[in-house]
């Protein structure tokens, strides 16, 4: 959800390693702030242990962001390893760090992944109404759970 005990633990770790200047914890964001963040971002990273197919990944792809995520749930339906990002096993923090670094340093790879993310969304989810319906379905299911 972007806030809570996990956020508190992460902030403590960042401070412990004196990395505060490299992190900006946004918490739960919506609307214009979310879209501005996506426009300003270079990579979308979601190292989750349990997911379905997060709308956040689809949104990030629509902004042309390379995706680095775990191969859980249905994420691999949208993120194709070494095509529009990277998939890693949950908990593999060394590979996660390597993939983030690789994507930042290799500008050609970043550009290819970026274009592939955008094309994938345009080809599969080009109807904006469909995308809004998927988002509403996720929100409805989340509210039930």
């Amino acid at each position: 959800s972007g806030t809570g005990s996990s956020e508190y633990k992460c902030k403590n770790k960042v401070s412990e390693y004196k990395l505060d200047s490299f992190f900006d914890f946004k918490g739960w964001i919506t609307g214009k702030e979310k879209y501005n963040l996506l426009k300003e971002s270079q990579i979308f990273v979601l190292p989750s242990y349990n997911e379905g197919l997060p709308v956040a990944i689809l949104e990030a792809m629509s902004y042309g962001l390379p995706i680095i995520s775990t191969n859980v749930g249905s994420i691999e339906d949208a993120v194709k390893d070494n095509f529009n990002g990277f998939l890693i096993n949950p908990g593999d923090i060394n590979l996660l760090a390597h993939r983030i670094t690789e994507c930042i340093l290799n500008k050609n790879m970043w550009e290819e992944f970026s274009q592939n993310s955008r094309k994938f969304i345009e080809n599969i989810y080009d109807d904006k109404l469909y995308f809004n319906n998927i988002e509403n379905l996720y929100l409805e299911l989340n509210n039930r759970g």
Side-chain angles (χ1 to χ4, degrees):
S1 70
T3 60
S5 64
S6 293
E7 180 185 22
Y8 178 75
K9 289 176 188 175
C10 288
K11 285 180 177 180
N12 283 340
K13 278 292 181 193
V14 166
S15 291
E16 178 183 329
Y17 289 106
K18 297 180 180 18
L19 298 171
D20 299 274
S21 64
F22 297 102
F23 287 84
D24 185 8
F25 290 89
K26 297 292 186 183
W28 185 259
I29 59 165
T30 59
K32 189 174 182 176
E33 184 181 7
K34 175 174 65 172
Y35 297 113
N36 287 337
L37 268 175
L38 287 169
K39 283 174 31 179
E40 295 170 2
S41 297
Q42 295 176 325
I43 301 171
F44 185 86
V45 180
L46 183 67
S48 183
Y49 284 86
N50 186 18
E51 292 288 342
L53 176 54
V55 171
I57 282 181
L58 301 177
E59 288 175 326
M61 289 172 61
S62 74
Y63 281 82
L65 295 178
I67 310 297
I68 301 173
S69 189
T70 46
N71 56 355
V72 297
S74 297
I75 291 175
E76 66 186 352
D77 290 343
V79 181
K80 306 300 180 192
D81 193 48
N82 214 22
F83 174 75
N84 64 333
F86 293 114
L87 292 172
I88 62 169
N89 290 323
D92 191 343
I93 59 172
N94 291 327
L95 184 57
L96 175 63
H98 173 74
R99 293 302 195 197
I100 292 170
T101 303
E102 186 176 11
C103 203
I104 290 170
L105 296 178
N106 188 332
K107 299 298 181 192
N108 291 331
M109 175 192 293
W110 182 93
E111 184 67 35
E112 181 181 336
F113 287 0
S114 173
Q115 290 174 8
N116 290 341
S117 277
R118 190 180 314 271
K119 286 178 191 173
F120 184 87
I121 287 295
E122 289 172 358
N123 291 335
I124 303 299
Y125 300 102
D126 75 349
D127 184 356
K128 197 169 192 174
L129 178 61
Y130 177 77
F131 189 74
N132 287 334
N133 288 339
I134 293 292
E135 183 174 347
N136 289 335
L137 178 61
Y138 273 104
L139 292 172
E140 182 182 327
L141 291 172
N142 189 41
N143 289 336
R144 287 184 193 173

